[in-house]
Amino acid sequence: MSEIFNIEKVAVLGTGVMGAQIAAHLTNAKIPVLAFDISQEIANKGVEASSKLKPSAYYNPKTVEMITPLNYEDHIDQISECDWVIEVIAERLDWKQDLYKKIQPHLKKDAVITSNTSGISIAELIDGMDNDMASRFFITHFFNPPRYMKLVEIIPSEKTNADLIPPMAVFLEEALGKGVVYAKDTPNFIANRIGVYGMMASLEEARKKKLSIEDVDGLTGSLIGRPKSATFRTADVVGLDTMCFVANTAYEKCTNDPERETFKIPDYLQKMVDNEWLGQKSKQGFYKKIDKGVIHSIDLDTLEYTPQNKKRYAGVRLAKENVQLKDRLKALAYSDDPAGEFVWEVTAKALLYSANRLGEIADDIVNIDRAMRWGFGWELGPFEAWDAIGVTKSIERMKQENKQIPKWITEMLAAGHTSFYTRLEGFNCYWDVNKKDYLPIPSSQKELRFYNFKYNGSLIENHWSASLIDLGDGVAGIDFHSVLQAQLNPIDGSILQTIYLAQKWVEDNGYKGLVISGDGANFCAGANLNMILNTAKRKDWDELEQTVRTMQDILQGLRFAPFPVVAAPFGLVLGGGFEVIGACDKIVAAGESYIGLVEVGVGLIPGAGGNLRMISNLSRKIKSAMPGAFPVIQKAFETIGFAKVATSAKEAQAIGYLQKDDRIVVNRDHVLSEAKQEVLDMSEGYSVPEVETFKLPGKSGRLVLEGTLKGFVKSGKISEHDALIGKKLGHVLTGGDKG
């Protein structure tokens, strides 16, 4: 909770899909909510529906109890209890204005009032509003689903008290884990303006080049750092009616936009909407499920669904030869084949459109790039992507193709500056179009990245998949960054070597402690299975046993290091990833941490301490006279045997992957900073953990577990092979050969 802006209770006006989910996410931050709607029945149904969404809107489903569904007629006076009132009703200006008049007499005198509108002008929203309420009113535009999408766009009016914006931004970042960008009061603000332009341009270019739906999605998804759903699948998920609404808003209201015609709904798309082929919610859109595992795509000319037929392109092959996204994007954009030509054209259009909107929709390129990364799931914002493909080279090609280059970019290049971002005097900087110079990128003091330390002379040791870095104040950090699978960071020899080296280095240099984390999308998705598989294929059991023993020894060394070790996991924390964090003194986990021991799913059992850590954690969680007693072992067996993965850090605590004194930080960008502070807090008077002992149930407990497995096989819940793996797991958990 922000100390600057104390929000203890929130009123959410509207319990539709967005309103109910915003209410749900507030409960994730332990903030009680009054959820209002026009009738008690609608309010009740809206809140109830939020608890059934997949993926879940809640860290813990029980926190739905923190939401009180209410109606305006009977309960409007209770709005006076709330520090923040957020309106999330349908996009009808007259409805919104009527609601503001209704709540105005009941507002707390210092309450902040915001709207979640996705495109209505704030100037229109405050028309007729009294000055006091208008001074406390601005737009906070969340993206769907609000638990998972990081972006919130803030748009103030000329009457908004500017002093309210910074503390509200801090609250959104710290309490709700959001990334805040500041937008101008223009139609669709930043992310929807550029994102929908990019989608509409892709639709237009696909038709021109006669590319299939599936080919376009193959070119505009994870290959170029966009969500896997790419273009057409994303439209189906969002809803074709919603996409058309946003596009039409730009077409109707952006009358001076030179690219206005791109937002015009093409005839085939309008016909699909008229036919109610709206995508996922109507079971057909650009794609249609024909049978289980059989999905057809639509032909944009005939509007008939046909089997998918993905083509192979040389440009895609060239791109896939590169591990790093920047290299893939560059290779594909300059590839001389239909795939390269398509990607170049839609990329160039999006880049130029973003550059031409600078000053109109946002003051700087940082807000635009962040909006697209946080709101549309792009790995690189437009200007970051432009740097990746080379500003000078791309501008030369654009000029050859008679594309109009924005004046400010021409001036930047003429002044000898060839990138939008650079690093100067230890700071990450961006090109500011007004100052005509590089300025430091603004960031929260709680936002730490290994990347910044590496380029400040703080790199101690660099390996293929991990590095040891000096984080300052006597704290060292291990940064996971797999050279081959940067998205997953599987544990390999490089990571193990770095962990081993770090233990010795911290002790030898008298440092206070160690943090283990990373800058990537996920902390660690487990061990390198290919390495294990290849060893097994060679039947080199001695090497495999040595590998497992090495992992065990290194992680046990971490567990009993003479200094505090804190893990800061996020995203996927699976298998060996859990075994690493489980060996640490404390865990500072991002709220969106998906933790689990999943080895059984590939015919293995945890081998580097996962079983031991679960027994230890559950012994603390399940009160029993003897650590390792059968109820603990049974729970560990169920958790590991069914490869349970927590859908949030909060659920990980409930399952037992995290302990109750481990910390959960909602904002993923703050975990490294918070973990470092934990090391500093623990370092004074630190003592090595005591060795734990467990009396395991032995043969009698093993027989019970094996009986359970037989029952599962008989009922068809698991296969004979699953039972074999389960039997091996039970053997270990109950004491192994000594049991």
Side-chain angles (χ1 to χ4, degrees), residues 218-267:
L219 296 172
T220 58
S222 54
L223 182 67
I224 62 169
R226 304 286 175 81
K228 284 170 63 177
S229 53
T231 300
F232 291 104
R233 178 62 185 147
T234 295
D236 275 358
V237 171
V238 170
L240 271 59
D241 52 342
T242 302
M243 184 180 76
C244 288
F245 175 82
V246 177
N248 195 56
T249 297
Y251 183 76
E252 295 291 338
K253 295 186 176 182
C254 300
T255 53
N256 295 322
D257 189 337
E259 294 290 315
R260 179 176 179 241
E261 287 302 310
T262 299
F263 290 103
K264 188 174 182 180
I265 310 301
D267 291 341

Side-chain angles (χ1 to χ4, degrees), residues 670-683:
H670 295 176
V671 293
L672 183 57
S673 169
E674 297 287 354
K676 177 186 172 183
Q677 188 58 51
E678 285 291 338
V679 168
L680 293 172
D681 292 344
M682 295 170 67
S683 62

Side-chain angles (χ1 to χ4, degrees), residues 175-431:
L176 300 185
K178 295 298 152 193
V180 173
V181 303
Y182 303 94
K184 299 289 191 74
D185 189 19
T186 56
N188 295 338
F189 311 131
I190 301 175
N192 278 337
R193 180 78 172 270
I194 292 173
V196 173
Y197 172 83
M199 292 179 74
M200 298 301 287
S202 294
L203 265 62
E204 182 182 0
E205 204 60 34
R207 200 133 190 249
K208 278 184 186 176
K209 294 190 172 359
K210 298 190 179 301
L211 293 177
S212 69
I213 298 297
E214 58 269 27
D215 280 346
V216 170
D217 277 356
L219 296 172
T220 58
S222 54
L223 182 67
I224 62 169
R226 304 286 175 81
K228 284 170 63 177
S229 53
T231 300
F232 291 104
R233 178 62 185 147
T234 295
D236 275 358
V237 171
V238 170
L240 271 59
D241 52 342
T242 302
M243 184 180 76
C244 288
F245 175 82
V246 177
N248 195 56
T249 297
Y251 183 76
E252 295 291 338
K253 295 186 176 182
C254 300
T255 53
N256 295 322
D257 189 337
E259 294 290 315
R260 179 176 179 241
E261 287 302 310
T262 299
F263 290 103
K264 188 174 182 180
I265 310 301
D267 291 341
Y268 72 84
L269 185 54
Q270 187 59 57
K271 189 170 183 180
M272 291 175 71
V273 173
D274 292 342
N275 289 345
E276 296 189 353
W277 300 350
L278 305 179
Q280 189 170 276
K281 57 189 170 187
S282 65
K283 310 296 184 187
Q284 68 181 105
F286 289 115
Y287 292 98
K288 182 179 181 180
K289 185 176 181 180
I290 304 300
D291 202 350
K292 187 175 181 180
V294 180
I295 298 174
H296 288 185
S297 61
I298 201 166
D299 183 301
L300 297 181
D301 291 322
T302 65
L303 294 189
E304 293 179 355
Y305 292 94
T306 56
Q308 295 184 50
N309 180 26
K310 291 183 181 179
K311 296 184 178 65
R312 293 187 176 184
Y313 295 103
V316 172
R317 180 178 54 78
L318 287 171
K320 286 183 175 179
E321 289 176 359
N322 298 279
V323 174
Q324 299 299 322
L325 169 59
K326 292 180 179 181
D327 298 327
R328 289 203 307 272
L329 185 57
K330 191 172 184 178
L332 185 55
Y334 294 122
S335 173
D336 187 19
D337 76 329
E341 290 169 4
F342 173 80
V343 169
W344 163 259
E345 196 59 41
V346 296
T347 300
K349 282 185 174 182
L351 300 183
L352 289 170
Y353 189 74
S354 300
N356 281 313
R357 301 283 72 75
L358 188 61
E360 176 191 343
I361 63 174
D363 285 328
D364 56 60
I365 65 173
V366 175
N367 277 293
I368 291 177
D369 279 345
R370 285 175 171 172
M372 300 318 298
R373 283 193 280 112
W374 296 341
F376 271 69
W378 295 10
E379 287 186 48
L380 298 174
F383 297 98
E384 293 164 327
W386 211 331
D387 276 351
I389 66 172
V391 178
T392 303
K393 183 177 180 179
S394 62
I395 292 294
E396 288 174 358
R397 179 170 173 179
M398 289 173 182
K399 286 180 177 178
Q400 291 170 5
E401 295 172 351
N402 295 319
K403 291 178 168 65
Q404 295 299 308
I405 312 302
K407 183 181 177 183
W408 70 268
I409 294 180
T410 304
E411 291 175 348
M412 183 186 83
L413 292 172
H417 305 294
T418 58
S419 66
F420 297 108
Y421 292 94
T422 191
R423 192 166 179 83
L424 295 173
E425 299 178 358
F427 291 96
N428 293 321
C429 299
Y430 71 97
W431 181 258

Side-chain angles (χ1 to χ4, degrees), residues 454-628:
K454 284 182 181 178
Y455 293 95
N456 282 347
S458 299
L459 183 62
I460 299 166
E461 191 79 26
N462 190 35
H463 283 272
W464 286 106
S465 297
S467 298
L468 180 61
I469 294 166
D470 188 341
L471 296 177
D473 302 313
V475 179
I478 295 175
D479 172 24
F480 286 179
H481 52 74
S482 172
V483 69
L484 294 177
Q485 297 186 61
Q487 291 286 317
L488 299 175
N489 289 328
I491 292 176
D492 57 15
S494 170
I495 285 178
L496 291 174
Q497 186 178 354
T498 305
I499 294 174
Y500 177 76
L501 171 80
Q503 295 174 46
K504 190 172 188 310
W505 192 93
V506 170
E507 186 173 5
D508 289 349
N509 288 273
Y511 266 47
K512 295 176 180 177
L514 179 68
V515 173
I516 303 177
S517 192
D519 282 348
N522 297 290
F523 175 74
C524 174
N528 187 328
L529 293 179
N530 282 332
M531 179 178 70
I532 296 171
L533 181 62
N534 289 334
T535 307
K537 282 182 175 179
R538 295 196 308 270
K539 297 186 178 180
D540 193 341
W541 310 123
D542 289 341
E543 181 184 332
L544 188 56
E545 184 173 347
Q546 183 58 46
T547 299
V548 173
R549 187 176 299 279
T550 298
M551 288 181 68
Q552 291 174 345
D553 290 346
I554 288 173
L555 294 182
Q556 279 295 85
L558 199 66
R559 181 76 188 106
F560 296 104
F563 49 80
V565 182
V566 177
F570 50 89
L572 296 177
V573 190
L574 305 177
F578 168 74
E579 289 174 321
V580 170
I581 69 171
C584 298
D585 292 288
K586 194 163 189 177
I587 299 168
V588 178
E592 298 300 337
S593 293
Y594 314 118
I595 306 174
L597 287 167
V598 296
E599 288 87 346
V600 167
V602 291
L604 302 172
I605 63 173
N611 299 314
L612 173 63
R613 307 303 172 209
M614 279 306 297
I615 292 172
S616 174
N617 287 359
L618 291 171
S619 293
R620 293 186 183 92
K621 185 177 176 64
I622 300 172
K623 302 301 179 186
S624 62
M626 179 66 68

